[in-house]
């Protein structure tokens, strides 16, 4: 049987719109140093490095090669994953495989994106080519605007509900010193006053472009027990991709195609004896590019019934103090360095399980948490974490 | 490692200077269809079929963010598992190897594709150089590699004639390879008289623009034995990052390759590579690289590879035939090149390499490189026992 | 729909991906570039643990992973470690071909700096030759690696 | 060299447009040529599940089999499944500049069951509705440059 695998070190940068004080490699280095400090390890202890970054955002081909010194991968094995928005969990997934297989005892996962180097929306639009898909995408904004209008129509959610999700995200972000946008929003009305980016998606409904990095140190059971008395076990990982245009990406009104979230979570829950996700899991950090998406994702991850995602926010269930906290870090609505965004989801779940989330530690005791990533034309990657196996 | 992992099928497209008749996905499917037909496998995650795929491509070459978007229908990962590696495709083999050993997957499809013809090489390669200190100088891989070639010649006395001999040997070998793009009957004189691109690298020291794809299926031992009578075992594999700045290291050496090879050999139990390895497929995007990488791979001492080519050690019939396929010089796209090496070696070890067969080959060395001057090196050792 | 698929010629769409980029040099990179611009000086950064001087400077030592902050000025003269002469034009080159490229180990540095070589007949280039930096004139210097015009043979 | 680190930060601006020649492949090319020459949408059918693929392609992603050459003409009418309109011009990487959009754009569920993204002719935001019926308005002289070029937009039609 494969080795058990745990997260033993967590580090992230402060996230900002612009980081003129550091180059891309130097920014990534901050997260690596933070993770090493957290695990009380030195770079010598790390055997391999797995990178997550999307080249077109910064216009750097083979960016991992440019930071071998700063990431500590110099003279070490590793490689880079680039599967769009899911990359940051996919890299953790590969590190998990390589440690579970016994090929390495201690591996580093490094997600990073320095969005001040380019135009994020343009880079996402460049997922299409002139041969197919031009006009299919106006970056992520267009996709999530359509998703929002669909969700509104389908579920009965209102713009007020979306605003409540944003308000929750901001309250959480204000308690998380690493979060990028900490706006101090006071009311739903304030959010409903923000202008539309693309109807019905408002500026405040959508995630920012952040510069930031997040590193995880992943170790075999033997090493994990030596390194820390608070290992966070990776119980399982799963990824599900989907053909780009079959289901109209983010809106399949006639329900002919299953959603990748549904397929991935069903598989993950089944393999891990989870029959009632809301009961068997204590919290989630999900990749929600918009507040509308958070409500919808709660449904397809089976945290609630279909078309009831908006009731979770209405009833306060997903708040930090709630029965099933979702994105107590402030989530992607507050912080979004894309290559690092999914890695941060894993990191935040691990902090919650350790009880080390500080001001944004959730009220309930977290023994099991799920981190998710969203990428491409609605691709999903998930990690299930546990305090004990 | 209690478990072993085998390649149960491998296939390539014919490499071609311009495949603008097909999309990347259609190109990849030409190779994918062959391995599906050979094994009779379909995509299924219930333990009966392929349960994951690892793809390898580059956004910059495909001209689109998320280059794996192109091939979801073709690699079978619609509503199933796919991971995309963005290095040379030997690393995708390494990734699939790790996935199987971890117990997470049993049978993994590995696919790489690239159409160099659709993009501008120097612009893409220039974007790999640090934007603060190097990019504005106008480097591409050709110019950076020329710096490495000069240094290699200076430090060890390797000569342009010896580089040319590699170009002659590999293009000659390609005549026996139905997948090769540019088999050629040329002489050392032809190479030395070909157009000077970046001194000391001439046109025939470089590979042509190439389009193509490669696919293979990897499986854990128990499944592999049911799928094929001729499994090819991955007995050792590792990779390694080099430092980025050109002036940080002596370019005449390739420490990252030494390090990757050492780990792969340790895993495979190889102590004397020249004696224990029967055939090598080495990614030589430039002729000098075959010699330099052979040193890094421990087939000879530093600076001694020139003597091996002079002595005919690496030609067909020699002690260690290197690149019986014709190598990258005969035309493989970047990204795909490493898997092409692995696919070729797998054919050798199955005794199915036709006119380019190395008789009795039992252990093969394959190698992939990503970036300029060997920024990232990957070594895969294969065995048929 | 008369055309048989196999007889159909595929359409090819010529176009581009064009997204402008702006790269932060960061504290260390900025300081190096500002020294070029303002003082025509080449600076390195020293790892006190490994006793190596890095040019170009960076904030982490790859050998010991230590944080680096000890600035040193290195000479604008040095030794050519290797060279290459580009005859093949490409869209990324900053000047017309032929361009001679070199890696120069400046006196006082433990690493080489990659740059262009000028005022030299390519035939005369030799590994080990002494070269020195030629800077652009003040009004053309913009805190860029190209503020050094090239390195030319000494004497 | 004992002075404090400089507070001036340098940025290296770098624009290098990357040219590409993207092939549409034979399957997409068939669609585009039919659009250009006959103002028709066509696609191929999977021999196994009998579903229409969209866009036309060589392999059915669901059945993982070669889809072959069984072509079907599609209706150019459909229903708006979702729509949005651009407020700020966004950077278009294929144009290399910011591009605004006069028309709202929508995901349209074509009557044959596939989704297509296109512009809507209707510019009055009050009149836009999920569920509204629309039909393609074709460019007079087809260009064979894809969906976005040969279909100008979708026009509202009666239920």
């Amino acid at each position: 049987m494969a080795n058990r695998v745990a997260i033993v070190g967590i580090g992230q940068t402060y996230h900002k719109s612009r980081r003129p004080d550091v180059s891309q490699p130097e920014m990534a280095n901050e997260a690596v140093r933070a993770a090493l400090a957290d695990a009380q390890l030195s770079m010598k202890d790390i055997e391999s490095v797995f990178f997550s970054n999307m080249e077109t955002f910064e216009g750097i081909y083979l960016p991992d090669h440019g930071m071998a010194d700063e990431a500590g991968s110099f003279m070490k094995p590793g490689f880079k994953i680039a599967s769009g928005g899911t990359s940051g969990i996919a890299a953790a997934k590969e590190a998990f495989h390589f440690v579970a297989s016994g090929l390495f005892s201690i591996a580093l996962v490094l997600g990073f994106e320095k969005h001040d180097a380019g135009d994020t929306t343009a880079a996402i639009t460049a997922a299409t080519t002139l041969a197919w898909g031009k006009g299919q995408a106006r970056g992520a904004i267009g996709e999530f605007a359509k998703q929002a209008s669909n969700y509104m129509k389908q579920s009965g959610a209102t713009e007020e509900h979306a605003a409540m999700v944003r308000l929750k995200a901001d309250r959480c972000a204000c308690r998380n010193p690493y979060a990028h946008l900490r706006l101090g929003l006071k009311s739903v009305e304030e959010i409903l006053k923000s202008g539309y980016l693309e109807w019905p998606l408002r500026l405040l409904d959508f995630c920012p472009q952040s510069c930031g990095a997040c590193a995880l140190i992943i170790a075999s059971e033997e090493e994990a027990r030596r390194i820390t008395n608070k290992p966070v076990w990776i119980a399982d990982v799963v990824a599900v991709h989907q053909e780009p245009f079959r289901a109209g990406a983010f809106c399949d009104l006639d329900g002919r195609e299953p959603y990748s979230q549904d397929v991935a979570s069903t598989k993950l829950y089944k393999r891990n004896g989870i029959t009632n996700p809301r009961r068997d899991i204590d919290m989630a950090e999900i990749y929600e590019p918009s507040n509308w998406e958070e409500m919808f994702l709660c449904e397809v991850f089976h945290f609630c019934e279909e078309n009831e995602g908006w009731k979770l926010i209405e009833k306060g269930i997903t708040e930090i103090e709630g029965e099933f906290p979702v994105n107590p870090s402030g989530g992607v609505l507050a912080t979004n360095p894309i290559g690092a965004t999914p890695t941060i989801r894993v990191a935040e779940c691990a902090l919650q399980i350790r009880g080390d989330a500080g001001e944004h530690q959730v009220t309930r005791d977290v023994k099991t948490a799920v981190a998710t990533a969203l990428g491409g034309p609605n691709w999903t990657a998930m990690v299930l974490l546990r305090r004990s196996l | 490692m209690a478990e072993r992992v085998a390649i149960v099928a491998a296939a390539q497209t014919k490499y071609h200077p311009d495949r603008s008749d097909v999309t990347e996905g259609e190109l990849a499917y030409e190779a994918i269809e062959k391995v599906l037909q050979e094994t009779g496998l379909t995509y299924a995650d219930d333990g009966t079929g392929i349960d994951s795929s690892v793809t390898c491509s580059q956004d910059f070459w495909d001209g689109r963010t998320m280059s794996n978007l192109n091939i979801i229908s073709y690699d079978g990962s619609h509503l199933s598992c796919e991971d995309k590696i963005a290095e040379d495709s030997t690393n995708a083999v390494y990734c699939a190897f790790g996935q199987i050993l971890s117990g997470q997957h049993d049978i993994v499809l590995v696919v790489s594709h690239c159409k160099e013809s659709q993009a501008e090489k120097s612009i893409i390669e220039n974007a790999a150089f640090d934007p603060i200190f190097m990019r504005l100088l106008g480097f591409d891989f050709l110019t950076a590699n020329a710096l490495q070639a000069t240094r290699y010649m200076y430090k060890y006395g390797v000569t342009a004639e010896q580089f040319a001999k590699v170009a002659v040997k590999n293009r000659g070998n390609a005549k026996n390879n139905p997948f090769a793009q540019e088999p050629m009957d040329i002489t050392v004189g032809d190479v030395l008289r070909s157009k000077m691109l970046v001194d000391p690298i001439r046109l025939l020291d470089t590979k042509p623009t190439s389009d193509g794809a490669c696919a293979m299926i990897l499986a854990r031992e128990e499944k592999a034995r049911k799928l094929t009578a001729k499994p090819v075992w991955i007995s050792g594999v590792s990779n390694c990052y080099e430092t980025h700045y050109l002036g940080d290291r002596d370019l005449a050496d390739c420490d990252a390759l030494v390090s990757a090879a050492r780990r792969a050999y340790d895993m495979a139990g190889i102590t004397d590579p020249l004696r224990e390895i029967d055939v090598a497929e080495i990614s030589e995007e430039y002729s000098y690289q075959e010699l330099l990488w052979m040193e890094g791979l421990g087939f000879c001492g530093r600076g001694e590879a020139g003597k091996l080519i002079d002595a005919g050690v690496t030609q067909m019939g020699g002690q260690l035939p290197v690149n019986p396929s014709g190598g990258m010089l005969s035309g493989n796209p970047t990204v795909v090149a490493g898997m092409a090496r692995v696919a070729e070696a797998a054919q050798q070890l199955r005794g199915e390499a036709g006119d380019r067969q190395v008789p009795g080959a039992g252990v093969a060395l394959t190698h992939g490189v990503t970036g300029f001057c060997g920024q990232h090196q990957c070594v895969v050792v294969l065995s048929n026992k | 729909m008369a055309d048989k698929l196999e007889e159909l010629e595929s359409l090819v769409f010529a176009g581009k991906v064009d997204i402008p980029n702006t790269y932060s040099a960061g504290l260390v990179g900025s300081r190096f570039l500002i020294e070029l611009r303002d003082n025509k000086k080449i600076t390195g950064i020293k790892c006190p643990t490994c006793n190596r001087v890095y040019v170009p400077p960076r904030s982490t030592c790859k050998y010991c992973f230590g944080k680096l902050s000890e600035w040193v000025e290195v000479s604008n003269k040095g030794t050519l470690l290797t060279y290459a002469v580009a005859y093949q034009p490409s869209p990324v080159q900053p000047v017309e071909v032929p361009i001679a490229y070199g890696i120069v180990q400046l006196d006082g540095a433990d690493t080489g700096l990659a740059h262009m070589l000028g005022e030299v007949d390519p035939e005369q280039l030799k590994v080990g030759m002494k070269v020195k930096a030629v800077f652009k004139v003040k009004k053309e210097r913009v805190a860029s690696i190209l503020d050094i015009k090239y390195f030319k043979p000494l004497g | 060299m004992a002075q404090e680190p400089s507070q001036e930060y340098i940025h290296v601006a770098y624009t290098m447009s990357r040219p590409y020649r993207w092939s549409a492949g034979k399957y997409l090319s068939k669609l585009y040529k039919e659009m250009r020459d006959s103002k028709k949408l066509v696609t191929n059918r999977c021999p196994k599940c009998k579903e229409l693929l969209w866009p036309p392609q060589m392999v059915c992603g669901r059945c993982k089999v070669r889809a072959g050459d069984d072509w079907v003409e599609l209706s150019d009418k459909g229903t708006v499944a979702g729509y949005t309109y651009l407020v700020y011009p966004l950077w278009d990487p294929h144009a290399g500049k910011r591009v605004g959009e006069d028309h709202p754009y929508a995901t349209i569920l074509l009557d044959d069951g596939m989704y297509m993204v296109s512009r809507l002719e209707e510019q009055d935001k009050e009149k836009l509705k999920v569920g509204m019926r629309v039909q393609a308005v074709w460019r007079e002289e087809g260009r064979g440059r894809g969906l976005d070029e040969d279909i100008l937009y979708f026009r509202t039609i009666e239920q």
Side-chain angles (χ1 to χ4, degrees):
Chain A
M1 192 48 216
N3 299 322
R4 292 176 170 187
V5 177
I7 296 169
V8 299
I10 301 165
Q12 58 179 306
T13 61
Y14 292 93
H15 302 278
K16 293 191 162 87
S17 296
R18 301 198 167 275
R19 285 296 307 273
D21 57 320
V22 285
S23 64
Q24 187 198 45
E26 289 169 337
M27 183 188 74
N29 179 267
E30 292 177 1
V32 176
R33 286 186 189 283
L36 288 171
D38 181 58
Q40 295 183 288
L41 292 175
S42 85
M43 199 64 223
K44 285 193 193 69
D45 299 310
I46 305 294
E47 295 169 18
S48 61
V49 184
F50 296 88
F51 292 87
S52 158
N53 170 269
M54 289 303 291
E55 298 94 325
T56 36
F57 291 132
E58 290 104 323
I60 300 176
Y61 178 49
L62 308 172
D64 48 329
H65 295 196
M67 60 172 67
D69 299 7
E70 288 81 356
S73 56
F74 169 59
M75 286 299 139
K76 291 192 169 80
F79 50 72
K80 179 170 68 79
I81 306 287
S83 59
T86 58
S87 304
I89 278 182
K93 179 172 173 284
E94 299 320 330
F96 167 80
H97 291 144
F98 274 84
V99 175
S101 65
L103 287 165
F104 300 116
S105 300
I106 306 179
L108 180 79
V109 178
L110 179 58
F112 58 96
E113 212 78 70
K114 200 161 186 296
H115 283 292
D116 63 2
D119 185 311
T120 307
T121 296
I124 294 173
T125 302
T128 67
T129 70
L130 292 182
W132 177 259
K134 191 178 180 299
Q136 297 278 331
R138 305 288 197 288
I141 297 170
E143 282 305 329
F144 290 105
K146 284 186 294 172
Q147 186 273 343
S149 76
N150 268 304
Y151 185 71
M152 209 183 331
K153 165 93 176 164
Q154 201 168 318
S155 70
T158 64
E159 293 194 55
E160 282 74 17
H161 291 116
M164 287 163 76
V165 174
R166 165 47 104 177
L167 205 56
K168 166 180 78 77
D170 192 52
R171 273 201 300 270
C172 295
C174 287
R175 292 159 75 161
N176 175 6
Y178 292 102
H180 172 190
L181 291 183
R182 287 174 290 161
L183 303 170
L185 296 170
K186 297 285 186 292
S187 68
V188 163
E189 292 70 34
E190 197 177 340
I191 294 158
L192 293 177
K193 268 186 254 163
S194 102
Y196 289 119
L197 274 174
E198 287 196 45
W199 183 88
L201 203 63
R202 298 171 190 279
L203 183 62
L204 282 175
D205 290 343
F206 202 59
C207 56
Q209 298 173 9
S210 315
C211 296
C214 179
L216 301 171
I217 298 172
I218 290 181
S220 64
E221 178 166 16
E222 193 187 337
E223 290 293 340
R225 297 209 187 274
R226 188 180 62 79
I227 293 165
T228 176
N229 53 13
K230 288 197 276 190
V232 176
W233 302 100
I234 301 179
D236 204 354
V237 294
V238 66
V240 172
H241 287 187
Q242 187 162 18
E243 193 181 288
F245 302 106
R246 185 165 190 121
F250 294 93
C251 54
D252 183 28
L253 278 190
D254 58 8
R256 280 184 307 163
E257 284 293 333
Y259 281 88
S260 68
Q261 289 88 357
D262 179 22
V263 175
S265 61
T266 303
K267 195 184 277 188
L268 186 80
Y269 299 158
K270 193 174 163 204
R271 287 206 300 232
N272 293 278
I274 292 166
T275 50
N276 178 345
R278 194 91 147 257
R279 182 197 64 205
D280 299 342
I281 301 170
D282 300 312
M283 54 114 13
E285 278 278 347
I286 65 177
Y287 193 142
E288 49 16 317
S290 85
N291 43 15
W292 292 95
E293 190 70 13
E294 178 172 316
M295 296 186 279
F296 172 72
L297 287 175
C298 285
E299 297 173 15
V300 278
F301 286 130
H302 305 288
F303 302 152
C304 63
E305 295 300 316
E306 206 175 316
N307 294 327
E308 294 197 345
W310 54 274
K311 291 185 186 165
L312 293 178
I313 189 73
E314 205 174 65
K315 293 179 184 161
I317 288 167
T318 51
E319 301 276 353
I320 282 190
E321 305 81 7
E323 173 208 324
F324 188 85
V326 173
N327 291 4
S329 65
V332 186
L333 285 170
T335 310
N336 190 30
I338 293 178
T341 299
T343 322
I344 297 169
R345 307 276 73 68
V346 181
E348 287 290 342
C349 283
L351 286 173
Q352 293 285 352
I353 287 175
R354 286 187 356 189
D356 288 343
E359 284 284 295
H360 65 287
Q361 182 71 40
V362 304
T363 307
R364 68 172 302 171
D365 185 37
V366 180
K367 296 191 188 71
T368 302
V370 67
T372 80
L374 181 152
N378 210 26
W379 295 343
T380 298
M382 300 178 80
V383 179
L384 183 70
L385 299 174
R386 292 193 196 272
R387 189 182 289 161
S388 55
L389 280 178
Chain B
M1 279 187 304
E3 282 274 5
R4 292 210 292 169
V5 176
I7 297 166
V8 298
Q12 307 168 71
T13 63
K14 181 170 169 59
Y15 300 100
H16 193 278
D18 182 0
R19 287 301 307 275
S20 55
D21 58 319
V22 287
T23 64
E24 293 90 342
E26 291 163 3
L27 180 63
Y29 197 68
E30 290 177 14
I32 293 168
E33 195 171 34
K34 287 192 230 172
V35 294
L36 295 179
Q37 283 170 353
E38 186 180 333
T39 57
L41 284 168
T42 54
Y43 217 86
D45 57 3
D46 59 0
T48 63
I50 297 164
D51 54 9
S52 175
S53 70
V54 175
T55 67
C56 189
S57 55
Q58 286 285 1
D59 294 6
F60 270 54
W61 282 103
D62 277 20
R64 73 189 309 175
T65 304
M66 297 182 285
S67 51
N68 49 338
L69 270 176
N70 304 342
I71 68 161
I72 297 299
S73 316
Y74 303 95
D75 74 358
S77 53
H78 176 58
L79 293 177
S80 193
C81 182
E82 190 235 9
D83 290 296
K84 189 192 106 177
I85 310 301
E87 311 282 350
D88 171 77
S89 52
T90 39
N91 298 281
V93 175
Y94 190 18
C95 176
F97 176 77
Q99 292 189 348
I100 293 171
L101 278 188
S102 74
Q104 197 81 6
H105 297 298
D106 290 339
I107 303 176
V108 180
L109 173 70
V110 189
V111 182
S112 61
H113 72 263
C114 186
K115 284 167 70 178
E116 290 182 336
S117 68
Q118 69 178 9
E120 178 73 50
K121 186 181 176 77
S122 62
I123 291 178
I124 290 173
E125 292 177 346
N126 177 248
F129 289 84
D130 165 89
I132 311 301
F133 301 114
M134 285 199 282
R135 198 185 288 187
L136 301 182
L137 298 166
F139 281 113
D140 55 16
F141 291 4
L142 174 62
T143 46
N145 287 339
L147 290 170
Q148 184 168 44
T150 304
R151 179 72 192 172
Y152 181 41
M153 293 164 85
Y154 165 79
K155 188 170 177 186
Y156 293 121
V158 188
T159 64
E161 286 77 13
Q162 288 167 330
F163 298 162
K165 283 180 182 174
V166 172
V168 171
K169 167 180 72 76
N170 290 359
R171 287 192 171 82
N173 287 352
K175 289 185 289 180
N176 296 323
N177 180 0
F179 303 109
Q181 180 176 321
E182 275 193 358
M184 279 185 196
D185 260 320
I186 48 169
T187 64
V188 166
D190 293 335
V191 179
L192 295 177
R193 281 188 301 272
S194 67
K195 186 179 173 191
M196 184 64 86
L197 301 179
V198 180
D199 195 354
I201 295 176
R202 293 176 182 273
L203 183 63
L204 285 173
D205 289 315
T206 69
K207 73 174 207 60
T209 298
S210 182
D211 295 355
C214 185
M216 55 186 70
I217 295 176
L218 270 58
R220 72 171 63 254
E221 180 162 12
E222 174 205 344
K223 303 261 180 186
R225 292 207 183 273
K226 287 178 190 150
L227 287 164
T228 176
K230 292 182 186 173
V232 173
W233 306 101
I234 298 177
S235 54
V237 51
S238 189
N239 65 11
C240 190
Y241 279 102
E242 186 50 273
T243 186
H244 185 67
Y245 294 114
L246 289 166
D248 268 26
R249 58 184 173 118
D250 192 327
L251 291 175
D253 297 317
C254 46
D255 294 341
L257 182 54
V258 173
S259 170
R262 181 177 44 74
R263 279 189 295 268
Y265 291 157
D266 284 352
M267 202 188 286
I270 286 172
T271 52
D272 182 350
L274 185 61
R275 197 173 52 81
E276 295 173 60
I277 291 168
D278 303 316
V279 56
E281 283 282 344
I282 296 174
S283 290
E284 30 50 294
E285 191 173 358
Y286 298 87
S287 58
Y288 82 89
Q289 290 187 341
E290 180 171 302
L291 302 182
L292 182 52
W293 302 156
M294 280 178 62
E295 295 170 16
L297 289 163
F299 289 127
C300 56
R302 303 249 172 137
E304 291 176 0
K307 290 178 207 151
L308 292 193
I309 187 95
D310 285 344
V313 171
T314 58
Q315 69 193 27
M316 293 304 285
Q319 186 189 354
L320 177 75
V322 173
N323 288 331
S325 66
M328 267 181 106
L329 286 176
S330 303
N332 290 144
T334 184
V335 181
V336 178
M339 262 176 81
R341 307 273 76 69
V342 178
E344 282 291 330
Q347 265 197 302
Q348 290 283 351
L349 298 185
R350 292 166 68 138
E352 295 171 354
D355 293 340
R356 60 194 189 287
Q357 181 67 46
V358 174
V363 179
L365 178 287
T366 63
H367 156 262
V369 61
T370 322
F372 54 86
C373 304
Q375 287 274 302
H376 185 273
Q377 303 270 13
C378 185
V379 175
V380 185
V381 183
L382 303 172
S383 160
N384 61 12
K385 291 172 204 82
Chain C
M1 285 180 279
D3 297 351
K4 272 276 192 231
L5 205 60
E6 55 266 31
E7 290 155 18
L8 197 91
E9 196 169 324
S10 295
L11 296 167
V12 174
F13 292 68
K16 61 180 178 177
V17 173
D18 186 348
I19 306 169
N21 295 111
T22 306
Y23 299 104
S24 310
L27 190 63
V28 167
S30 295
R31 182 155 173 183
F32 174 86
L33 296 175
I34 289 167
E35 284 290 335
L36 293 184
R37 180 190 66 192
D38 295 352
N39 304 316
K40 294 206 294 183
K41 279 181 179 164
I42 303 174
T43 48
I45 212 159
K46 184 175 179 179
C47 176
T49 311
C50 303
N51 210 25
R52 277 191 181 84
V53 174
Y54 291 109
V55 179
R58 73 287 311 258
S59 55
T60 293
C61 174
K62 64 171 162 286
Y63 293 104
C64 68
F65 211 63
K67 268 190 171 169
L68 305 182
S69 60
E70 193 181 326
W71 287 89
V72 289
E73 185 185 333
V74 298
S75 172
N76 63 0
K77 301 185 183 74
T79 309
L80 190 61
L81 296 175
T82 184
Y83 59 88
V85 187
Y87 295 98
Q88 178 80 352
S90 91
V92 297
Q93 288 160 349
V95 294
E96 296 286 303
V97 288
I99 306 172
Y101 286 101
I103 299 177
V104 179
Q105 184 171 352
L106 296 163
D107 297 341
D110 290 296
T111 63
L113 180 69
H115 214 291
M116 293 179 284
L117 303 169
E119 297 179 41
V120 61
D121 175 357
E123 298 292 315
Q124 304 301 313
L125 287 168
K126 277 205 310 286
V127 172
M129 72 196 288
K130 291 286 176 189
V131 295
K132 71 176 284 194
V134 176
F135 285 83
K136 287 183 175 166
V137 297
K138 188 167 180 61
K139 67 176 190 320
E140 287 175 10
R141 294 200 303 268
V142 294
S144 157
I145 191 68
L146 295 175
D147 287 358
I148 300 173
K149 204 169 168 188
Y150 45 68
F151 286 82
K152 70 168 187 183
L154 201 61
Chain D
M1 302 296 294
Q3 77 211 61
E4 281 299 297
S6 163
Q7 290 305 297
E8 180 191 355
Y9 291 119
I10 304 300
H11 294 89
V12 177
Y14 185 85
T15 301
M16 182 60 71
S17 165
R18 296 193 299 276
Y20 291 97
R21 291 164 61 248
W22 292 286
S23 171
K26 291 188 190 294
Y27 290 81
L28 274 178
S29 294
K30 173 110 171 171
L31 166 66
Y32 295 162
K33 287 182 177 181
E34 287 292 341
M35 291 177 70
R36 180 189 65 193
D37 300 339
S38 323
K39 297 189 174 35
K40 279 177 184 163
L41 292 172
V42 298
T43 197
N44 61 338
R45 187 190 292 281
C46 171
K48 195 170 171 196
C49 65
K50 307 290 179 197
E51 290 251 0
L52 296 175
L53 302 174
W54 187 251
Q57 59 189 39
M58 188 195 269
V59 171
C60 172
R62 179 189 285 163
C63 303
K64 339 280 188 198
V65 297
R66 242 180 213 271
D69 214 359
D70 177 10
W71 291 85
V72 178
E73 186 184 326
L74 306 175
S75 163
D76 67 353
K77 291 181 186 158
T79 307
V80 172
Y83 63 90
T84 183
Y85 42 82
L86 205 56
V87 179
Y88 297 122
L90 296 177
W91 189 275
D92 180 343
H94 301 121
K97 60 182 181 190
R98 280 189 189 279
V99 173
E101 184 73 87
D102 296 334
H103 292 269
Y105 69 101
T107 302
I108 294 155
L109 181 58
L110 295 175
D111 288 352
D112 291 291
M114 57 272 305
Y115 289 97
M116 180 171 153
V117 174
S118 190
R119 300 177 201 90
L120 295 176
E121 183 186 40
E122 182 58 66
Q123 285 172 284
D124 182 348
K125 287 156 188 121
E126 299 301 313
K127 290 186 180 163
L128 299 174
K129 276 202 312 285
V130 170
M132 64 198 263
R133 293 283 295 158
V134 289
Q135 179 170 15
V137 175
W138 294 81
R139 186 184 293 281
E140 202 54 49
E141 282 290 316
R143 291 176 178 172
R145 302 299 297 170
L147 297 180
D148 223 33
E149 289 266 337
D150 281 356
I151 292 180
L152 294 171
Y153 35 64
F154 277 71
R155 174 174 291 162
T156 312
I157 55 174
E158 292 305 308
Q159 291 293 333

